[in-house]
Amino acid sequence: MSEKLSGKISDLPVLDPGSHMPGGEKRIVFGPGRFWDSHVMRCFTLKPEGTAENNVHPWPHWFVCIAGEGKFKIGEEVYDIAAGYWVYVPGNIPHSFWNTGDKELTALCIVPSEGDLDPLS
């Protein structure tokens, strides 16, 4: 088998996360053409005080914080997040998250493949 089956997330290419996450970073861990055609697992990183702007879309997504700390807003509810916390966002519910710590906030976020786009574009 010639395809690499293991690696470090930090070695994956950095992509523009879009206008909803200015200054953030995005990497595709799994997705179409990369072991998972129906969904996309992205790794997002926000610097201290960074924000993923409020957005809404029809698909759900699954979010796991793997480093740092922050807040995640779903509808009108605000939740604390830190390494080891998970969040489920139903479709059609406004949501956002932001870094409240002094280190980078890093999270894995899974959406159906049609959801890997800039929700504010």
Side-chain angles (χ1 to χ4, degrees):
M1 179 172 257
S2 63
E3 193 166 15
K4 189 172 180 183
L5 299 178
S6 177
K8 290 177 60 177
I9 291 172
S10 61
D11 290 340
L12 296 170
V14 175
L15 305 171
D16 180 0
S19 62
H20 81 294
M21 195 180 298
E25 289 184 353
K26 169 183 160 182
R27 291 176 167 86
I28 302 294
V29 182
F30 302 112
R34 193 171 162 71
F35 309 113
W36 200 3
D37 291 336
S38 64
H39 288 75
V40 180
M41 177 188 284
R42 298 92 52 92
C43 183
F44 288 121
T45 301
L46 283 177
K47 298 198 179 309
E49 300 183 16
T51 299
E53 301 293 335
N54 199 46
N55 65 95
V56 63
H57 41 70
W59 54 85
H61 58 100
W62 301 264
F63 179 99
V64 178
C65 185
I66 59 174
E69 57 188 44
K71 301 282 185 182
F72 203 115
K73 184 176 183 180
I74 304 171
E76 295 303 316
E77 292 286 325
V78 177
Y79 303 92
D80 291 324
I81 57 172
Y85 283 58
W86 60 268
V87 177
Y88 173 72
V89 182
N92 298 311
I93 305 288
H95 56 279
S96 62
F97 67 96
W98 57 96
N99 186 339
T100 60
D102 58 359
K103 297 182 176 137
E104 289 184 336
L105 184 150
T106 303
L108 299 174
C109 180
I110 299 170
V111 294
S113 57
E114 66 270 16
D116 184 38
L117 48 78
D118 182 351
L120 298 182
S121 64

